[in-house]
Amino acid sequence: MILNSIILQTATRILIALLLLLSIWLMIRGHNLPGGGFIGGLVGACACALYTISYGVKKAREALRLEPRIMIGLGLTLAFLSGLISLFLGDPFLTGQWIKIYIFGTLVKIGSPMFFDIGVYFVVIGVTLAMIFALEELEFDYQPSSEADK
Amino acid sequence: MSLGWTVLSGFILAAIAPFIHKFTKNATGWLLSLLPLGIAFYLFTTYFAPVTSGETFVATIPWFADLGANLTFYLDGLSLMFALLISVFGFFIIIYAGGYLKGDPHLGRFYLYLIMFMASMLGVVLASNLIGLFIFWELTSISSFFLIGYKYKYLSARKAAQQALLITGLGGLALLAGFILIGLGTGTFELTEILQNPEALKTLPAFPAILIFLILGAFTKSAQWPFHVWLPNAMEAPTPVSAYLHSATMVKAGIYLLARFSPLMEGVAAWQITLTSIGAITALMAAILALKASDLKQILAYSTLIALGTLTLLIGSGTEAAFKAAMVFLLAHSLYKGALFMAAGAIDHEAGTRDIRELGGLIGKMPITFFAVLLAGISMAGLPPAFGFIGKELSYKALLYGENIFVLAALLTNMGLFAASIVVIAKPFFGKFKAAKDKVHEAPLSLFFGPVVLATSSIVFGFFPGFLDKLMTAAQKSLLGVQHAGKDVHLHLFPETFSDPAFILSMITFAVGAVIFLLWRPVFNGLNAIAPRLDIGPARWYLWALEDLERFAKWQTRRIQTGNLRNDIRYSFIFTFALVAYALYRSKLSFTVDFSGLMIYDFIVFFLMLGGAFAAVRANTRLSAITALGAVGFSVALVFIVYAAPDLAITQFMIETLVVIIIALVIVRLPSFHLHERANVGGRWRDAIIAGVAGLCITLTMLVVLQQPLNTNLSEYFAAESVPHGKGHNIVNVILVDFRGVDTMGEISVLAIAAMGVYALLKFGRKEPEDELDLADKSGDELGEKLGEK
């Protein structure tokens, strides 16, 4: 399903950048303010879905570069690995571990839950896009022949 | 700890066996057999002396310690005897399998199953924790399933594997129930502790149930009537499997269980009556069936049933003499039966058939195999000077203390067993040369190594039974329990006087058995002639149960899961809300409705939602229905905003958007609404009622729930701990990624699986079903070709 509308395509080009930025911003700030990996992932998925509708699935795949299924795997792995960190430090699986570092004189707290959240982010985008792409690529047209459909 | 590794090392070797096989090819069997040999050696050198002088050992590997489930291992006389049997046989069988299945493309996998079985079986006999025992028990059932179904291209192999799994699996479930009841009742899952205090178990209110469950578990595994049907069918497995699992070890797991619990069951009449009577029935029935079979492996399978029945009978008798007889007979049986099965496999391998009617005169062609069969056969027949003779004498002696009926049953059984033994020795090897192949020659070393050693030891132990006195004494003590001292066992080949009643019974057995052997052909024909008319036994029951279950499953799937989405939703709703309505009815339904404090925007959201729902119902096209539903969803998001839940609101907005997109993608491929659907007034009324009830139930549930005092413990905890522990101010997010991170991990895994499911359905789901469905009706060869093509 491509809507082939120039208005939509033009708007998408600007919107997608904003939406993706928004999704990343939502994910990063999520620990302290409304947002998080799940919400950020959904916004990101919406952005990609918008692109898919405007330009078609082939272009969307090219722009994404990463197969959604691989994205799911990466996300799951990242989330899992972030949980392993605490195991090596003697805490139960998935216990949050934090360190403080200074970047350009600003205090930044980095913790394993952040990586966990990034994992969630990728899984959500991957899952949604895997479904949307698969639906878009469906080579099947309805034929009202069988009895059950009548 | 090292006791634990005797079990666990097998699992590790099993996992890497297929890879080893890739490099070592034909030498794999000899190489892999080193592990069981090492285990046997280790057990013998380290534990034999202390255990036979009365010591016991316990080793613990912590597992789910909080749940009382640890990998605890316990070694006493009984487990030592079994563990030695399992490892020594494992050694011979793995070598034998290497020769028997030489060149088989899946041999690596076969080794995996076989060694996995060996490790599980060691686990069963060494486990002290009941949960651990159950898990190993199930693992033996599962590896048995794989091994029986090893020639999976044949329908008969698949059916036999399924049958064995269903029956032993059913018993396994019963066993688990029994173990849980024991654990809950006595407060411990450790066998070592339970064995210390038999009265604690016997006085439990659940004791009758425990008794039934334990017996069910043991009887299914050890193929007692009426659960025996799976064992003869299990002969579909390659011969090494029949020799190892289905005669020497796995089927004895049930016997082990009975023996293990026997000190706890002293004086329990129900236990004794069930074991003795079912044991006798099994043995007697098997003795008759053994004469009806002409396939060497079938004859041996039925004679295994005879042994299992006799063992159950002896353990049920509950006397010291009976326990002694049981342990001696068990060892004797394993030795000769293992040898005979392997020899039968060697005959099949070299002569091309196992049917004794088509075999004859092999003595000149396969002298070494004959030697093994002769020695083992003598032991099976219970003739002196074999070890089997001692076992039989002891059983007669033990049974003579008890009910006469069981002596009679044992006498008749042994006559049949004697005849069957002579048939096995004589028919393939004497008479005119007959075989399915023209050129028959002696089996290779790997095929006669095991049979010769085991058969020879059957005779050696007959002459020098004193070697085994210590082991038998220790094993017998395990059956008697801690309360009884028990006399030391001293085995002799011959009784002190030849007027001994047991010896006289033996003579009668030989005489009548010999007559049956001479009349074998007419007996065989006669039994086979009446067999079809008597086909009303447990084998039939199994088929009926299986077929009816399938029929029922098909019927209810056809009725409920029609494949029509709207039907599925309808049924889900009806069942769900019937349950909710029942729960509401039970909760006495007290609530108050309070409209005060509502603001104007509450009403706006309310009417938006109502309008959306109404529009969805009245919509003429799917697209408009979806859009209208979207409006409802967005209104819900507004509710979240009104009540200050921004995270939920954003999520709801996003989800609604994506749902509309995804459904829109689906809708373009669906037909438009059909006119008759709108015209089907009755159907719409029915749906309206279902939807109305559902909505009403939800509303009432919410109202009832709101009446309950709100428990704020959790929310207060999260609010207080979010910053110090989770280092975040957004409580919702901290809960998701930190406090309940494992939940989230599970949820994203579910998401990933769902995506895979959708992907697979859409990408691969449109293929026409070609051969998957009628796979079951194809014969093995046809199917083999089909699988080969792929």
Side-chain angles (χ1 to χ4, degrees), chain B residues 133-383:
Chain B
L133 199 161
F134 168 75
I135 285 168
F136 290 123
W137 180 281
E138 289 294 85
L139 278 172
T140 62
S141 293
I142 292 165
S143 34
S144 159
F145 169 78
F146 283 127
L147 287 166
I148 298 172
Y150 180 68
K151 294 179 193 157
Y152 62 93
K153 287 176 186 170
Y154 295 91
L155 179 64
S156 51
R158 299 201 300 277
K159 285 211 158 158
Q162 182 197 32
Q163 187 181 35
L165 186 71
L166 284 179
I167 294 180
T168 54
L170 192 76
L173 282 181
L175 196 66
L176 178 64
F179 283 173
I180 289 173
L181 285 176
I182 292 177
L184 292 180
T186 60
T188 174
F189 282 109
E190 294 298 325
L191 257 176
T192 41
E193 292 169 30
I194 298 163
L195 285 170
Q196 292 301 318
N197 193 354
E199 287 312 308
L201 182 70
K202 269 187 243 178
T203 48
L204 287 182
F207 183 66
I210 292 174
L211 201 65
I212 292 170
F213 286 139
L214 284 183
I215 289 178
L216 265 179
F219 279 15
T220 47
K221 198 78 161 180
S222 280
Q224 300 295 306
W225 186 90
F227 306 111
H228 65 275
V229 284
W230 70 266
L231 185 58
N233 292 336
M235 295 301 130
E236 285 292 335
T239 304
V241 179
S242 312
Y244 195 32
L245 275 72
H246 305 124
S247 77
T249 58
M250 187 186 90
V251 288
K252 301 236 168 73
I255 301 296
Y256 169 79
L257 193 79
L258 295 176
R260 184 45 90 203
F261 278 89
S262 113
L264 298 169
M265 299 298 171
E266 197 191 350
V268 179
W271 169 271
Q272 294 185 343
I273 292 168
T274 316
L275 261 60
T276 46
S277 53
I278 297 290
I281 291 174
T282 307
L284 202 54
M285 171 208 70
I288 296 167
L289 290 174
L291 296 172
K292 192 194 126 209
S294 63
D295 179 335
L296 265 178
K297 274 177 80 176
Q298 288 292 329
I299 300 176
L300 294 175
Y302 284 118
S303 75
T304 305
L305 277 180
I306 295 179
L308 295 171
T310 310
L311 286 168
T312 308
L313 167 62
L314 286 170
I315 293 174
S317 303
T319 60
E320 195 179 328
F323 289 156
K324 179 166 86 173
M327 290 300 104
V328 173
F329 184 58
L330 190 150
L331 185 60
H333 173 256
S334 293
L335 289 175
Y336 69 67
K337 192 53 63 65
L340 284 174
F341 259 119
M342 286 195 258
I347 294 172
D348 188 18
H349 203 260
E350 302 305 323
T353 178
R354 295 191 308 249
D355 193 321
I356 50 172
R357 291 169 300 178
E358 290 159 25
L359 286 169
L362 293 179
I363 185 165
K365 312 272 185 184
M366 304 178 72
I368 305 178
T369 307
F370 171 69
F371 173 73
V373 171
L374 178 68
L375 297 189
I378 288 176
S379 193
M380 171 156 135
L383 281 167

Side-chain angles (χ1 to χ4, degrees), chain A residues 1 26 30-39 42-43 45-46 49 53 61 67 69 72 75-76 79-80 93-96 98 109 113 116-117 119-120 123-124 127-128 130-132 134-138 140-142 149-150, chain B residues 564 646-648 650-655 657-658 661-666 668-671 674 676-677 725-731 733-734 736-738 741-745 748-749 751-752 754-756 758-759 762-763 766:
Chain A
M1 184 172 76
L26 275 172
H31 211 57
N32 291 313
L33 292 160
F38 191 73
I39 293 171
L42 285 174
V43 175
C46 279
I53 291 175
R61 271 191 193 282
E67 172 73 11
R69 278 172 298 160
I72 299 175
L76 273 181
F80 185 73
F93 181 58
L94 274 173
T95 311
W98 293 88
K109 282 187 277 183
F116 185 79
D117 228 12
V120 174
V123 172
V124 171
V127 166
T128 319
M131 291 184 191
I132 289 179
L135 278 170
E136 281 277 12
E137 287 164 351
L138 206 57
F140 150 68
D141 286 311
Y142 173 74
D149 293 323
K150 278 183 189 166
Chain B
N564 180 331
D647 282 290
L648 275 177
I650 303 175
T651 312
Q652 180 77 19
F653 276 126
M654 291 298 118
I655 293 285
T657 312
L658 284 168
I661 292 175
I662 289 178
I663 292 187
L665 288 176
V666 177
V668 293
R669 303 176 196 280
L670 289 181
H674 290 284
H676 79 270
E677 261 175 44
H725 264 110
K727 311 270 193 292
H729 293 277
N730 179 358
I731 301 173
N733 187 258
V734 172
L736 281 177
V737 300
D738 198 325
V742 183
D743 270 6
T744 310
M745 188 79 221
I748 56 177
S749 310
L751 264 184
M756 294 296 140
V758 170
Y759 188 84
L762 291 177
K763 291 277 176 185
R766 292 291 302 171

Side-chain angles (χ1 to χ4, degrees), chain A residues 69-95:
Chain A
R69 278 172 298 160
I70 294 178
M71 212 181 240
I72 299 175
L74 285 178
L76 273 181
T77 313
L78 187 64
F80 185 73
L81 289 180
S82 79
L84 283 187
I85 297 173
S86 58
L87 267 189
F88 288 112
L89 297 172
D91 285 326
F93 181 58
L94 274 173
T95 311

Side-chain angles (χ1 to χ4, degrees), chain B residues 82-131:
Chain B
F82 268 96
L84 282 173
L85 259 181
I86 294 159
S87 45
V88 170
F89 269 78
F91 166 68
F92 288 119
I93 294 288
I94 292 173
I95 292 174
Y96 180 84
Y100 189 82
L101 291 170
K102 191 171 159 187
D104 190 292
H106 302 308
L107 185 53
R109 198 189 297 169
F110 185 82
Y111 284 126
L112 188 161
Y113 300 148
L114 199 65
I115 299 172
M116 176 172 109
F117 163 76
M118 185 190 76
S120 327
M121 190 66 206
L122 279 171
V124 168
V125 299
L126 290 175
S128 163
N129 189 287
L130 290 180
I131 300 299

Side-chain angles (χ1 to χ4, degrees), chain B residues 540-746:
Chain B
R540 269 283 122 205
W541 307 346
Y542 171 80
L543 280 182
W544 281 334
L546 199 64
E547 281 165 7
D548 283 345
L549 193 69
E550 261 179 28
R551 210 171 296 136
F552 174 72
K554 272 183 192 154
W555 171 81
Q556 66 108 17
T557 309
R558 246 197 331 268
R559 289 291 303 154
I560 298 176
Q561 311 211 330
T562 52
N564 180 331
L565 264 181
R566 259 160 290 168
N567 260 343
D568 288 0
I569 292 178
R570 206 171 283 141
Y571 281 116
S572 310
F573 270 47
I574 289 173
F575 282 108
T576 311
F577 287 104
L579 286 175
V580 173
Y582 176 70
L584 282 172
Y585 167 75
R586 290 286 302 268
S587 73
K588 284 182 273 176
L589 269 184
S590 67
F591 56 83
T592 51
V593 183
D594 179 15
F595 286 109
S596 66
L598 285 181
M599 309 296 278
I600 180 75
Y601 45 75
D602 289 314
F603 287 100
I604 294 173
V605 172
F606 172 74
F607 283 111
L608 270 177
M609 238 188 257
L610 204 64
F614 190 72
V617 173
R618 300 297 306 170
N620 273 318
T621 63
R622 289 178 201 273
L623 199 61
S624 46
I626 294 303
T627 317
L629 273 183
V632 178
F634 280 118
S635 318
V636 173
L638 286 178
V639 174
F640 291 141
I641 290 179
V642 168
Y643 289 96
D647 282 290
L648 275 177
I650 303 175
T651 312
Q652 180 77 19
F653 276 126
M654 291 298 118
I655 293 285
E656 283 304 328
T657 312
L658 284 168
V659 163
V660 170
I661 292 175
I662 289 178
I663 292 187
L665 288 176
V666 177
I667 276 178
V668 293
R669 303 176 196 280
L670 289 181
S672 56
F673 270 148
H674 290 284
L675 282 176
H676 79 270
E677 261 175 44
R678 294 203 50 86
N680 181 359
V681 180
R684 286 180 71 81
W685 271 109
R686 176 196 55 198
D687 291 350
I689 291 169
I690 295 172
V693 171
L696 190 68
C697 282
I698 292 289
T699 311
L700 289 174
T701 310
M702 293 307 294
L703 287 171
V704 172
V705 166
L706 284 174
Q707 293 303 303
Q708 310 298 318
L710 190 61
N711 185 337
T712 53
N713 277 352
L714 269 182
S715 34
E716 277 165 14
Y717 169 82
F718 286 135
E721 296 296 317
S722 180
V723 174
H725 264 110
K727 311 270 193 292
H729 293 277
N730 179 358
I731 301 173
V732 177
N733 187 258
V734 172
I735 291 174
L736 281 177
V737 300
D738 198 325
F739 289 129
R740 315 211 52 166
V742 183
D743 270 6
T744 310
M745 188 79 221

